[in-house]
Amino acid sequence: MIPLPTLYYFLCYAWNRLPEPAVLQASKSTPFAKPLALLAQVLLHGTRRLLRNGLPLTFQTQEAELASLRGRIELAPTLGRGLLSQGRAVCTFDELGVDSPLHRLLAHTFATLSHAAEVPAGLRRELRQVQQRLPVVPGPETVPTAATFRELRRQRLDSSARFLAHVCELVWQVALPEPTAAGRRRFTDFRRDEGLMARIFEQFVRNFYRREQRHFRVFAETIAWQAEASAPDDLALLPTMLTDTTLEAPERKIILDTKYYAAALRPRYDRQRLIAPHLYQLYAYLQNQRPAPGQALEGVLLYPANTQAVDLRYTLGGHPVRVITLNLHQPWAGIAADLLALVK
């Protein structure tokens, strides 16, 4: 289980936001037992800053029955209600205000977290206090869906607002579908969700290298198969090869694949061995690469060190390959130093 302070760094780098000293200080002074409390603290800090700066105004589409024309007349409801004879019409218009999808999402998330048993009582009180400063959500509360977050991603939010939206999305991803008999929602410890943590780990590593070093260009790369077929359309049936992280410099190119697994080795025939599909995948990436002239190509498989530390070096297909674990239970400075040392 990844420690909660390290988890905060993971989320910040994964979502392109540098860690906030105030959140780090709060998590150290009041250690949290569950990740939901950490997410609540992160939301509190970011929303308070948002409120201090003033909630940004946005245009929201409104529909109302008016005596004076405004915006666009909706003919069907206007005629259907016989409003023209009364000198009235149904109009659709844009109105500037603090109500926005993000602010409604924050208010709903705060209301839910302020009743969550996984959040300490003191933190729940703070959540209720901040919730009262957010716009009132009209109508019945509806649980945010994937469409809610897709719509938010289409908006041009600044980095701090995008980060808050990511945190809210994670909160709702780990909420169990049905509330308890008392009406409270329950939440899972998402550190146990291997698929979710694998995505966060991958994004964390890629964005860490983007921010913390300047020698390599860092990106996720689609590799073309070095293949031929009698029917050209058959090539389209080949699976896509997309790297987790590619680090490229004129003299060196590294294909770095992250794997969030409990162990880098698995027992097979009474012996510990590397996980075959992971090695095959990296080998395929390397064999289908065409590095630039004078550019050395190498591969790295990176695992979290949960059960045992591993650091293995091979030459496969003429390319150096390293299988290594990263100790996530050390202080953050050690994690950052180990990652930077990996590409030196």
Side-chain angles (χ1 to χ4, degrees):
M1 294 287 281
I2 178 174
L4 291 182
T6 302
L7 179 63
Y8 176 57
Y9 280 100
F10 266 41
L11 298 178
C12 287
Y13 277 96
W15 298 332
N16 285 308
R17 187 77 180 167
L18 289 176
E20 299 276 0
V23 176
L24 292 171
Q25 185 61 39
S27 62
K28 289 177 182 176
S29 59
T30 310
F32 301 126
K34 297 185 178 181
L36 190 68
L38 173 65
L39 297 183
Q41 181 64 61
V42 171
L43 280 176
L44 267 175
H45 179 76
T47 306
R48 281 171 173 156
R49 184 177 55 247
L50 190 67
L51 290 167
R52 281 197 304 269
N53 296 336
L55 293 177
L57 300 177
T58 59
F59 282 102
Q60 294 295 313
T61 300
Q62 307 286 336
E63 183 177 288
E65 185 181 308
L66 303 175
S68 57
L69 298 183
R70 183 179 178 186
R72 185 179 70 248
I73 299 176
E74 300 296 335
L75 286 176
T78 298
L79 296 175
R81 300 176 197 175
L83 296 176
L84 289 181
S85 61
Q86 305 172 33
R88 303 177 67 81
V90 175
C91 299
T92 300
F93 53 92
D94 290 334
E95 190 165 65
L96 191 63
V98 296
D99 184 28
S100 75
L102 175 63
H103 301 154
R104 291 197 296 272
L105 173 64
L106 286 170
H108 190 182
T109 306
F110 270 61
T112 301
L113 290 178
S114 65
H115 294 91
E118 294 88 346
V119 177
L123 201 52
R124 292 202 300 269
R125 285 194 297 272
E126 294 183 61
L127 288 166
R128 285 191 288 270
Q129 291 169 0
V130 173
Q131 180 197 349
Q132 293 170 0
R133 300 169 60 191
L134 290 167
V136 176
V137 180
E141 291 185 349
T142 56
V143 175
T145 63
T148 306
F149 298 104
R150 282 197 301 270
E151 177 61 30
L152 279 171
R153 282 192 284 272
R154 283 194 288 266
Q155 298 181 9
R156 296 183 177 180
L157 302 175
D158 61 29
S159 63
S160 59
R162 280 198 308 272
F163 183 72
L164 290 175
H166 277 302
V167 177
C168 288
E169 184 173 14
L170 182 55
V171 168
W172 290 104
Q173 280 179 334
V174 300
L176 293 174
E178 295 296 332
T180 64
R184 288 184 172 184
R185 285 199 169 271
R186 295 171 296 161
F187 298 84
T188 61
D189 187 335
F190 62 89
R191 293 175 297 176
R192 300 182 186 277
D193 187 331
E194 205 166 74
L196 174 61
M197 288 303 301
R199 292 193 295 274
I200 293 174
F201 188 46
E202 174 191 330
Q203 294 167 349
F204 154 70
V205 171
R206 183 166 57 245
N207 287 338
F208 175 87
Y209 284 121
R210 280 176 176 159
R211 282 186 173 272
E212 301 301 338
Q213 58 79 44
R214 294 292 178 266
H215 182 68
F216 294 97
R217 183 169 70 97
V218 181
F219 56 103
E221 178 185 16
T222 299
I223 300 173
W225 286 90
Q226 303 302 314
E228 298 178 354
S230 56
D233 290 346
D234 292 350
L235 294 174
L237 301 178
L238 290 170
T240 301
M241 289 192 291
L242 179 65
T243 67
D244 292 345
T245 303
T246 295
L247 299 99
E248 186 172 39
E251 78 290 351
R252 189 181 178 198
K253 187 171 187 177
I254 306 171
I255 307 298
L256 194 156
D257 228 29
T258 54
K259 301 296 181 186
Y260 198 86
Y261 275 64
L265 303 175
R266 283 182 177 173
R268 184 171 176 82
Y269 302 124
D270 299 325
R271 293 187 61 185
Q272 293 287 332
R273 295 185 185 274
L274 292 169
I275 302 173
H278 298 174
L279 204 58
Y280 297 158
Q281 182 184 38
L282 183 61
Y283 183 74
Y285 290 169
L286 294 172
Q287 291 303 108
N288 286 277
Q289 277 281 350
R290 291 295 180 263
Q295 188 181 58
L297 180 63
E298 58 190 273
V300 175
L301 273 177
L302 180 65
Y303 296 85
N306 288 336
T307 55
Q308 65 183 108
V310 169
D311 189 356
L312 307 170
R313 297 172 189 261
Y314 303 96
T315 299
L316 301 178
H319 304 296
V321 169
R322 190 174 182 185
V323 182
I324 188 169
T325 51
L326 177 66
N327 180 9
L328 301 181
H329 289 267
Q330 61 179 321
W332 168 249
I335 295 174
D338 286 350
L339 285 172
L340 291 174
L342 188 59
V343 298
K344 284 186 178 178

